[in-house]
Amino acid sequence: MAWTRKDLLTMRDLDAAEITLLVDSAASLEEIASREIKKVPALRGKTIVNLFYENSTRTRTSFEIAGKWLSADVINFSASGSSAAKGESFLDTAKNIEAMSPDVVVVRHSSSGASEILARAMRCSIVNAGDGCHEHPTQALLDLLTIRERKGHLEGLQVAIVGDIAHSRVARSNIHAMRKLGMTVTVAGPPTLIPPFVGELGVKVSHRLEDAIRDVDVIMMLRLQQERMTGGLIPSLREYSRYWGLTLDKLAAHARPDVLIMHPGPVNRGVELSPEVADGPYSVILDQVAKGVAVRMAVLVLLAGSKAAQA
Ligand code: CP
C-alpha cells in the first residue's frame, strides 16, 4: 500500500495497514545506523523544522538525526529562545515558519490538539511529536518496532501499561495502535491515575501491579507526569513506588522470564523502576531509543514523499 496522508497526528486515525506500513518502513531503514557513512539522499532538498514548545531529549534529537541521515536540511526551533517568549502566538509563529517553505514541521506542545491546529492551518506536512496528554504517535511506532523485533510478531501479544495512564500520551497512542494490531492491553495504576473513559478504548483495567504483570509479554512502565498533575493524585512518591514501582523481586515473583520491560523515558529511577530493572536483562529501554531514529526516518520519508504533501 502507498502512504496518502499529509500529516501524522494520531494513532487513532490510522488503520492496521497504515501502522504496519510505518513499522515495516522503519525496519527497512534501521540498518543505516550501522553504516560507516550514515547518509542517504532520500530527502535531499527538503526542509524539516522541529518546532518544540516543550522539553525533549529523545524525540527532538532523533528527529534531527533522522532528517540529517536522510540529507534533509533540519532546523531546530525552541520556543524558549524564540519570539514566542515575546508574546507571539503559536499560530502566528507557525505561519511565519510556513512562509519560509518547510516541507515538514514536527511539533511538540503542551496543549492537546496543537498539532491538529497546525495541520489545518498549514500546507506542509505536520508530525505530532507529543501534544499534551493526547497522543505521541512516533513513540507508539518505535515501541511496536521494538516489540516486533524481540517477539517476532505483534498479534496476540499481551501488554501491561503501568502507572500514570491519565496524563500519558504514550499510553493513548499505544492503546489505539495495539488494539488495531490484535494485541491485548491491560492498563494498571492507582484509581486516581486511570481516566474513567479508558474502558471505552477496549482495554482491561487493574489496580494491582502484581496482577497486571502476571503472564504478559510486555510491561510498559510510565513516568509519573507531575508537571501535568493539578491535585494530590498520589499520597507520596515513596508510597507510589512501594505499590507501583517495578523491582527485580516483583518481576521474579510475578512476571514471565521472557518479559520485555519498556519505558518511554525519561525514567524516574527508584520511582516507577528500580535501577536494577531499568538497566537489567529484561530492559529494552535503550533499544526503544535507537529504534526512534528509524521510525522518524520512515515518517519523514513517507510524509515528504506522499501525494497529499505535494498537492
Ligand atoms: N519519550 C519521549 O518523548 O522522550 P522525550 O520527552 O525526551 O522526547
Side-chain angles (χ1 to χ4, degrees), residues 52 54-62 108 129-130 136 138-139 142-143 169-170 223 228 263-266 288-289 296:
F52 275 62
E54 240 192 13
N55 295 341
S56 168
T57 296
R58 284 144 288 267
T59 311
R60 193 169 77 171
T61 308
S62 59
R108 170 168 287 194
H136 192 352
T138 58
Q139 178 69 42
L142 72 87
D143 292 336
R169 54 199 180 203
V170 174
R223 181 174 70 89
R228 300 192 207 280
H263 193 298
Q288 291 173 261
V289 177
R296 281 142 190 158

Side-chain angles (χ1 to χ4, degrees), residues 210-225:
E210 292 75 5
D211 296 337
I213 67 175
R214 203 183 309 279
D215 292 331
V216 296
D217 302 286
V218 177
I219 303 172
M220 184 177 290
M221 301 301 293
L222 299 176
R223 181 174 70 89
L224 271 184
Q225 302 205 19

